[in-house]
């Protein structure tokens, strides 16, 4: 006989016990927030979530925590419920082991779903998003002892160890000055595998190799956007900022875990990505310089397909700076690789601009002339004429050369762009690709200057000059929101939705950076990496596509730092919908005035995320 069913009395006691436990848990759930309250730490609200519901390691299904289908809330949004009908929703909290979850870059998901991926081409480091029935529909908790991040510019050199409690890189790279443990902080001396004596000296040496004035890599404003492949903890990108150069620091979530997490915690622009089988989420001709310092990439694989992806991303006359043993070592294996790589880039119409010590800098040809001089059977071949070099979301890389398509491309000085900072407000040449006029561009720039000024008026009671650093514009259009912030000490990840007008190349032409993305999926970043999210009509857009608005709220909460802000600019029914979830997300409206700031039929709603800890984190913090 099965245990526990030997007599009826024991069964009755079990039922009664379960009923009492269920009642007690329900009481905590409904009244826990008011019982336990909140406390302040410095200027930040710190909510001790001792009463928060916990969710274990299993995936939730499509049903919400209230037992109803999530389509009910979607239907209420469509009906446009008014203020009087707003009621609280709830979300459980994920298990603490998921405090660094990246849903579309989760290796556990790959193992659980038994995906058949080709490890030799790094498919396991590319995006693989969970289906709806396997999503974690819960809030990501902060790690034990989490603190509000150190502010920029101090954060470039030090972060709280509790916020990213991973120190293996400090030990593994101890002789290379990547990072050093010091008490409750992790320090970043500015070193790297090939620049032990500091990124600043290394950057100046590259500028000197290229004969740029004053050893300044920005080349009098002509070099502005950089892609740093295999960036480590992004010290190269961090030290470029003082030269008015902005780098997209790129690395995968590989054996050197948390590189990008450290970069973003420091306040340095960065993105989780890999040169694998898919194009990187950036348009053609985005970068003046691509950098690879001991990035351990086999550039000769698959007919040079990875170098050809860099070629797609480089502007006419752009540079590839390569610091690696292949560039200087004299052993047989490295000499062989150097010979083959030199032959490949020569066929790609690159030439050596400079070579010194451990570093070689190649320069991309500035026109189609070189391509036309090659024989008809030359390899790599030119891409087909119908290939769209700016189509990137989920598009496979191809081993072919992206040719220049119009006369404006054939200019070696960066596609005819103005020098920085004039580039920011000068209508870019590629406006004509969209049929946009210079007047449209200028009006958009002026419009967002007014809007951003109004945002700052609303935020001013809550922020100081150094409160914000990492900002994301979730629907960037031409990048005018970011352009209006240029006098602030911030950087902006400009996101262009993949299903809209592909204006990301205009953003890069302005000297800004960003990425293509699908907001029906999770973004490629660690939790708690942005101080402010700007969502202009993003909710309305994905609602039209039938995607879950609740999922978007959970994702926004995942990437938002505690004490960070959300600015929603959308229609009133969207604002009403979001208000139902403020308590569940531990968000709070800044003030009532934000509800009445009108711009046509759009409403501005500004929210702040509270700093809360789980009971486990709270015990460690004590």
């Amino acid at each position: 006989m099965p245990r526990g069913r030997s007599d009826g009395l024991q069964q009755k006691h079990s039922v009664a016990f379960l009923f009492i436990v269920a009642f007690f848990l329900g009481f905590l759930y409904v009244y826990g927030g008011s019982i336990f309250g909140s406390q302040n730490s410095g200027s930040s609200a710190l909510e001790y979530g001792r009463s928060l519901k916990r969710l274990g390691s299993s995936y939730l299904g499509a049903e919400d925590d209230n037992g109803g289908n999530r389509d009910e809330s979607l239907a209420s949004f469509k009906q446009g419920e008014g203020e009087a009908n707003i009621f609280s929703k709830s979300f459980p909290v994920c298990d603490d082991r998921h405090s660094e979850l990246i849903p579309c870059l989760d290796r556990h998901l790959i193992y659980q779903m038994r995906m058949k991926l080709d490890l030799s081409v790094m498919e396991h480091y590319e995006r693989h998003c969970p289906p709806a029935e396997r999503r974690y529909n819960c809030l990501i908790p902060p790690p034990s002892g989490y603190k509000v991040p150190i502010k920029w510019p101090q954060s470039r050199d030090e972060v709280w160890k509790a916020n990213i409690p991973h120190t293996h890189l400090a030990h593994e790279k101890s002789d290379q000055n990547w990072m050093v443990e010091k008490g409750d902080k992790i320090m970043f001396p500015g070193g790297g595998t090939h620049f032990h004596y500091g990124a600043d000296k290394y950057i100046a040496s590259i500028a000197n190799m290229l004969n740029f004035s004053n050893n300044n890599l920005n080349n009098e404003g002509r070099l502005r956007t950089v892609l740093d492949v295999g960036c480590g903890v992004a010290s190269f990108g961090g030290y470029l900022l003082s030269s008015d150069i902005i780098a997209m620091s790129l690395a995968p979530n590989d054996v050197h875990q948390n590189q990008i997490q450290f970069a973003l915690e420091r306040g340095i622009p960065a993105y989780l990505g890999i040169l694998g089988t898919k194009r990187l989420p950036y348009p053609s001709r985005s970068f003046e310089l691509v950098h690879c310092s001991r990035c351990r990439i086999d550039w000769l694989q698959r007919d040079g397909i990875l170098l050809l992806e860099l070629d797609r991303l480089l502007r006419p006359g752009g540079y590839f700076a390569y610091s690696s043993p292949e560039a200087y070592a004299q052993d047989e294996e490295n000499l062989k690789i150097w010979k083959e790589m030199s032959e490949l880039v020569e066929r790609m119409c690159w030439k050596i601009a400079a070579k010194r010590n451990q570093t070689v800098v190649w320069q991309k040809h500035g026109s189609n002339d070189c391509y036309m001089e090659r024989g008809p059977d030359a390899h790599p071949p030119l891409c087909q004429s119908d290939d769209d070099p700016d189509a990137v979301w989920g598009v496979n890389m191809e081993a072919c050369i992206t040719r220049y398509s119009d006369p404006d491309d054939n200019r070696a000085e960066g596609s005819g762009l103005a020098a920085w900072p004039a580039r920011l407000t000068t209508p870019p040449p590629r406006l004509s690709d969209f049929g946009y006029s210079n007047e449209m561009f200028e009006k958009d720039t002026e419009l967002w200057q007014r809007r951003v000024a109004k945002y700052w008026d609303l935020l001013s009671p809550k922020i100081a000059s150094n409160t914000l650093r990492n900002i994301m514009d979730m629907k960037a259009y031409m990048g005018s929101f970011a352009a209006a912030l240029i006098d602030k000490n911030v950087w902006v990840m400009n996101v262009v939705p993949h299903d809209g007008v592909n204006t990301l190349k205009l953003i890069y032409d302005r000297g800004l950076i960003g990425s293509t993305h699908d907001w029906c999926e999770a973004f490629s970043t660690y939790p708690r990496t942005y101080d402010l999210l700007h969502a202009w009509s993003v909710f309305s857009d994905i609602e039209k596509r039938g995607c879950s608005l609740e999922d978007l709220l959970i994702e926004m909460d995942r990437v938002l730092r505690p004490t960070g802000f959300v600015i929603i600019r959308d229609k009133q029914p969207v604002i009403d919908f979001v208000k139902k979830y403020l308590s569940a997300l531990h968000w709070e409206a800044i003030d009532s005035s934000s509800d009445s700031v009108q711009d046509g039929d759009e409403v501005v709603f500004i929210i702040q995320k509270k700093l809360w800890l789980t009971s486990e984190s709270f015990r460690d913090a004590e």
Side-chain angles (χ1 to χ4, degrees):
M1 180 178 293
R3 184 180 298 177
R5 299 185 62 184
S6 55
D7 60 70
L9 181 61
Q10 183 174 350
Q11 185 176 9
K12 291 178 181 178
H13 286 169
S14 298
V15 170
F17 176 75
L18 289 173
F19 178 81
I20 292 170
V21 170
F23 178 82
F24 179 70
L25 290 175
F27 177 84
L28 284 180
Y29 166 60
V30 175
Y31 298 103
S34 58
I35 292 173
F36 294 112
S38 62
Q39 298 184 18
N40 288 331
S41 175
S43 62
S44 304
L46 177 59
E47 179 179 333
Y48 296 108
R50 305 184 191 208
S51 62
L52 297 177
K53 297 182 294 173
R54 310 295 297 159
L55 183 69
S57 58
S58 61
Y59 285 95
L60 285 184
E63 301 296 309
D64 72 10
D65 191 65
N66 294 322
N69 192 287
R70 293 161 67 203
D71 287 343
E72 293 177 7
S73 59
L74 187 62
S76 69
F77 163 66
K78 290 177 179 177
Q79 294 166 7
E81 293 187 13
E83 186 84 25
N85 293 324
I86 291 174
F87 56 94
S88 294
K89 294 285 186 177
S90 64
F91 291 121
V93 177
C94 297
D95 188 275
D96 286 338
R97 76 190 73 178
H98 303 310
S99 68
E100 293 171 353
L101 177 69
I102 311 165
C104 295
L105 295 170
D106 182 9
R107 285 193 293 275
H108 297 294
L109 174 72
I110 292 173
Y111 300 145
Q112 290 169 0
M113 298 190 69
R114 299 180 182 178
M115 296 181 182
K116 299 186 186 304
L117 303 175
D118 188 343
L119 275 59
S120 68
V121 294
M122 304 298 173
E123 277 191 302
H124 54 305
Y125 292 136
E126 294 183 321
R127 289 175 58 86
H128 302 283
C129 297
E133 67 274 9
R134 283 184 170 267
R135 289 177 178 171
Y136 286 95
N137 296 316
C138 50
L139 305 183
I140 302 295
S144 299
Y146 181 85
K147 300 179 182 181
V148 173
I150 294 169
K151 304 303 182 185
W152 182 267
Q154 183 183 353
S155 63
R156 188 195 70 174
D157 302 324
E158 60 182 36
V159 300
W160 297 118
K161 183 163 62 176
N163 290 8
I164 309 178
H166 302 282
T167 58
H168 56 282
L169 278 176
H171 305 294
E172 182 182 342
K173 305 290 184 181
S174 59
D175 62 333
Q176 299 170 16
N177 279 333
W178 278 32
M179 47 192 280
V180 178
E181 288 183 78
K182 188 175 181 180
D184 59 356
K185 294 179 179 177
I186 293 175
M187 317 297 290
F188 301 90
T193 305
H194 271 271
F195 41 93
H196 305 171
Y197 301 107
D200 51 348
K201 296 180 178 63
Y202 172 72
I203 291 166
S205 72
I206 295 176
N208 181 266
M209 289 170 63
L210 295 170
N211 295 316
F212 290 170
S213 62
N214 301 316
N215 291 339
N216 193 329
L217 196 60
N218 76 8
N219 193 22
E220 300 179 335
R222 288 189 288 272
L223 197 156
R224 165 64 180 172
T225 52
V226 170
L227 176 66
D228 187 16
V229 179
C231 64
V233 293
S235 289
F236 181 77
Y239 279 81
L240 283 173
L241 290 165
S242 61
S243 298
D244 273 341
I245 297 173
I246 189 164
M248 179 70 80
S249 296
L250 182 80
N253 183 20
D254 60 6
V255 291
H256 293 152
Q257 293 180 32
N258 310 100
Q259 299 171 95
I260 295 300
Q261 191 176 19
F262 278 118
L264 290 164
E265 185 74 10
R266 297 173 70 184
I268 300 171
Y271 184 84
L272 273 165
I274 184 76
L275 281 164
T277 67
K278 307 291 185 187
R279 286 178 171 176
L280 294 177
Y282 318 122
S284 66
R285 311 198 310 273
S286 292
F287 302 99
E288 276 91 41
L289 171 74
V290 176
H291 174 255
C292 161
S293 174
R294 199 64 179 269
C295 52
R296 296 174 181 255
I297 293 173
D298 177 8
W299 297 109
L300 296 174
Q301 64 174 282
R302 293 176 283 158
D303 299 318
I305 194 169
L306 305 185
L307 270 178
L308 290 160
E309 172 65 359
L310 299 189
D311 184 81
R312 181 184 70 85
L313 296 173
L314 275 174
R315 297 196 190 278
Y319 300 96
F320 176 44
Y322 184 55
S323 296
S324 189
E326 294 85 15
Y328 66 89
Q330 296 299 304
D331 60 277
E332 183 178 349
E333 180 62 24
N334 281 311
L335 286 172
K336 179 176 180 292
I337 294 172
W338 172 254
K339 181 177 182 295
E340 293 181 14
M341 194 166 173
S342 298
E343 292 172 350
L344 171 61
V345 298
E346 184 178 0
R347 296 195 303 271
M348 291 166 53
C349 294
W350 291 9
K351 63 180 181 181
I352 291 181
K355 188 173 187 291
R356 183 189 300 169
N357 300 328
Q358 301 179 349
T359 302
V360 59
V361 181
W362 281 290
Q363 186 173 23
K364 179 182 177 180
H365 199 65
S367 73
N368 283 326
D369 296 346
C370 176
Y371 306 144
M372 298 300 103
E373 292 169 1
R374 304 184 323 150
D377 298 322
H379 288 278
L382 295 177
C383 297
Q384 296 295 318
S385 57
D386 60 352
D387 175 72
D388 181 0
D390 301 321
V392 296
W393 190 249
V395 176
N396 289 329
M397 287 189 286
E398 292 188 34
C400 60
I401 297 172
T402 302
R403 73 186 86 194
Y404 302 130
S405 57
D406 59 65
D408 284 338
D409 294 336
N410 301 333
R411 302 180 186 179
E413 298 297 330
S415 298
L417 298 176
W420 181 265
R423 184 182 301 188
L424 182 68
T425 52
T426 301
R430 292 195 277 186
L431 272 177
S432 59
D433 292 1
F434 305 92
Y436 296 164
S437 66
N438 290 356
E439 183 182 13
M440 290 173 61
F441 173 84
E442 291 161 357
K443 284 186 175 180
D444 188 72
T445 300
E446 293 170 2
L447 172 66
W448 283 103
Q449 285 175 342
R450 293 195 302 272
R451 288 177 171 178
V452 168
K454 191 176 293 183
Y455 291 161
W456 244 246
D457 287 343
L458 293 169
L459 284 167
S460 59
K462 290 283 187 176
I463 63 172
S465 60
N466 66 349
T467 301
L468 305 176
R469 173 61 186 170
N470 302 350
I471 294 179
M472 178 186 288
D473 189 4
M474 298 172 67
K475 184 182 176 183
Y477 189 43
M478 287 191 278
S480 295
F481 169 84
L485 291 168
I486 202 63
D487 61 339
K488 311 291 184 186
N489 214 355
V490 302
W491 69 273
V492 180
M493 176 68 80
N494 293 281
V495 180
V496 172
H498 82 104
D499 59 329
V501 182
N502 191 6
T503 53
L504 191 57
K505 58 187 176 183
L506 302 181
I507 290 168
Y508 275 93
D509 285 356
R510 300 184 75 168
L512 305 170
I513 61 170
S515 173
T516 302
H517 185 61
D518 180 355
W519 282 116
C520 293
E521 300 177 359
F523 194 77
S524 293
T525 193
Y526 283 87
R528 302 172 300 279
T529 49
Y530 286 90
D531 297 301
L532 186 148
L533 305 177
H534 177 242
W536 171 43
S537 71
V538 176
F539 285 88
S540 292
D541 290 345
I542 74 159
E543 186 273 332
K544 292 173 185 174
R545 296 175 55 199
C547 298
S548 168
L549 303 183
E550 289 187 9
D551 282 354
L552 179 60
L553 284 171
I554 292 172
E555 173 61 7
M556 292 169 69
D557 182 78
R558 186 185 73 85
V559 304
L560 187 64
R561 285 174 168 173
T563 74
F565 298 87
V566 180
I567 301 176
I568 299 176
R569 175 181 286 274
D570 216 313
K571 295 179 173 26
Q572 185 64 53
V574 169
I575 308 304
D576 293 340
F577 173 84
V578 173
K579 285 180 178 178
K580 295 188 295 186
Y581 293 88
L582 294 183
S583 177
L585 292 163
H586 310 284
W587 294 0
E588 61 181 359
I590 290 299
D591 56 48
S592 59
S593 65
S594 62
D595 296 345
S596 59
V597 180
Q598 301 289 332
D599 191 342
D601 61 348
E602 294 178 346
V603 179
V604 174
F605 187 46
I606 302 183
I607 302 157
Q608 185 173 24
K609 177 179 177 177
K610 299 177 185 178
L611 172 56
W612 55 268
L613 299 173
T614 64
S615 54
E616 289 87 345
S617 300
F618 175 54
R619 280 195 296 271
D620 290 336
E622 289 182 315

